[in-house]
Amino acid sequence: MSPTVVLTAAVAGLVAVGVYLLTSRHLSRVVLGVVVMSNGVNLLLIAAAGPAGPAAIVGPGGAVDEEDLASAADPLPQAFVLTAIVITFAVTAFGLALSYRLGRLEDDDVVHDAGPHRRTRGEAAGAAAPEDGGATARGAQRERGGSR
């Protein structure tokens, strides 16, 4: 089996597993899916860059051998992959921090549907809904004897 077929199968497997993990409601699985899928895309970029060759470095005195230059590796895909690794690291750190915070607030990392019936944790039970313009909260404050 040729290396191209193995790399293609590895890319397909990593991207498929990453997409499967991304469809989960667990935030930690979503973060893991982003990491796995980005590794598959990085492998795709390296595989699409072509065969490995000598480094594209100019020798001492600025002499460039045309033969070595023709077979030199293209540094652009390597730079793309390095940039993608850094971006993936940042997204992973943000996702893990978000997952940790959600786990502390909800005691699990499952992302629930946030419909109009759900309140945030910092919101008081008698807080006014945005559609009534805060009239309920002001009326309750007047009943308690407070003024604005």
Side-chain angles (χ1 to χ4, degrees), residues 66-85:
E66 294 296 326
E67 191 175 294
D68 287 339
L69 191 60
S71 65
D74 186 14
L76 191 60
Q78 297 172 10
F80 281 156
V81 169
L82 186 60
T83 305
I85 289 170

Side-chain angles (χ1 to χ4, degrees), residues 5 9 21-22 29 36 40 51 56 60 74 87 93 96 100 107 141:
V5 173
L21 288 172
L22 278 173
R29 289 182 186 171
V36 170
D74 186 14
I87 292 171
L96 288 176
Y100 174 77
D107 296 329
Q141 188 176 13

Side-chain angles (χ1 to χ4, degrees), residues 15-26 29-35 37:
V15 170
V17 169
V19 168
Y20 173 75
L21 288 172
L22 278 173
T23 61
S24 175
R25 285 193 174 262
H26 295 274
R29 289 182 186 171
V30 171
V31 171
L32 190 60
V34 167
V35 170
M37 194 168 69

